[in-house]
Amino acid sequence: MAVPTPPHPPTDDAPPVRQRRTRRKEARPGELLEAALSLFVEKGFAATRVEEVAARAGVSKGTLFLYFPSKEELFKAVVRETIAGRFAEWNEEFERFEGDSVELVRYCMHSWWERVGQTQASGITKLVMSEAGMFPEIAAFYQQEVIRPGHDLIRRILQRGIDRGEFRTLPLDYAVYSLIAPMIFLLMWKHSMSACTPSSAPIEPLSFIDAQVDLLLRGMLVRPQPLTRP
């Protein structure tokens, strides 16, 4: 019976075993955006450094700058990826929606919460509210990419209800804010105010949205009458 030949011991000429690298030379832009979103929400725009974003994504600062030439451009890309990019699909859904306008309002608010509000991207709104005054370029960008398209979409929803005879004639410029206000409250509650909320009185976001839709569309009066100024 042949005796198996023992394996040759390693020699100095053998190639060394490569250690797993903790830093990669390349990263997909999506990984950089994910890292940037986390840090922007955690620390704010001013306090976040591009070196931190690169380190969290596992790449060098130089690699990050291959994709995004500045922190401002990185922030804009995060907003487009997580919020502004949603408006194309929301507008398509608006065009296809076949139900009444009451259900469209409810669907719009639920959809916003599920796709943005309950995600990490919801912290971007708080960031903009806190730091827009210090960074006018960021404020102007957010106005153009998020606020204006959002206002336009809500206005179209309300106008649809008026045109179909489902809503009374409304001052649309102000009615738009009536639908936005509950969303802003939920964002501030999630990222700041929840720490002050008693544990015995938690807020369930979708139930809160439903209550706001009912209040906005039905009002408080049992028999609504035109309100006159004092």
Side-chain angles (χ1 to χ4, degrees):
M1 182 175 180
V3 178
T5 303
H8 294 289
T11 66
D12 293 340
D13 296 331
V17 177
R18 292 182 178 271
Q19 298 294 323
R20 185 176 180 179
R21 294 173 63 87
T22 58
R23 178 179 294 274
R24 294 176 296 114
K25 291 183 179 180
E26 300 294 339
R28 295 190 181 98
E31 295 173 305
L32 291 164
L33 294 178
E34 183 178 351
L37 172 62
S38 296
L39 284 164
F40 284 141
V41 172
E42 291 170 17
K43 304 182 67 173
F45 180 79
T48 296
R49 297 182 296 113
V50 291
E51 293 89 342
E52 295 174 295
V53 176
R56 183 165 295 193
V59 300
S60 68
K61 182 171 68 172
T63 298
L64 184 149
F65 282 135
L66 290 176
Y67 294 106
F68 310 105
S70 67
K71 185 168 73 169
E72 288 77 10
E73 292 303 317
L74 177 61
F75 178 80
K76 291 176 181 179
V78 168
V79 172
R80 291 191 180 105
E81 177 70 18
T82 60
I83 304 176
R86 296 286 190 182
F87 285 110
E89 63 190 72
W90 280 327
N91 278 287
E92 290 177 3
E93 291 173 11
F94 169 84
E95 297 294 343
R96 296 194 305 265
F97 196 87
E98 297 180 353
D100 63 36
S101 298
V102 171
E103 287 308 309
L104 180 55
V105 169
R106 190 187 311 276
Y107 174 80
C108 176
M109 296 174 76
H110 274 234
S111 177
W112 176 88
W113 177 256
E114 291 165 355
R115 300 181 202 182
V116 177
Q118 70 179 5
T119 72
Q120 195 172 34
S122 60
I124 293 295
T125 299
K126 180 191 174 186
L127 180 157
V128 172
M129 292 173 65
S130 301
E131 303 188 54
M134 297 183 291
F135 301 98
E137 179 184 351
I138 293 300
F141 167 81
Y142 198 79
Q143 167 71 25
Q144 177 180 342
E145 298 285 332
V146 177
I147 295 177
R148 189 178 301 164
H151 281 214
D152 290 345
L153 178 57
I154 295 173
R155 189 182 182 96
R156 292 176 68 198
I157 292 171
L158 295 176
Q159 187 64 59
R160 176 187 191 267
I162 294 171
D163 294 342
R164 290 162 58 104
E166 297 165 330
F167 299 158
R168 64 181 176 83
T169 301
L170 301 166
L172 291 180
D173 290 339
Y174 292 108
V176 166
Y177 289 111
S178 296
L179 295 182
I180 292 175
M183 303 294 98
I184 298 298
F185 170 82
L186 279 179
L187 292 182
M188 299 308 294
W189 169 79
K190 177 180 178 180
H191 291 280
S192 297
M193 296 166 56
S194 60
C196 305
T197 303
S199 58
S200 59
I203 293 177
E204 199 290 305
L206 293 181
S207 296
F208 172 81
I209 288 172
D210 288 339
Q212 292 300 306
V213 170
D214 183 73
L215 179 62
L216 287 168
L217 298 179
R218 298 178 185 272
M220 294 185 179
L221 298 178
V222 176
R223 295 181 179 84
Q225 298 176 355
L227 299 179
T228 58
R229 293 183 179 180

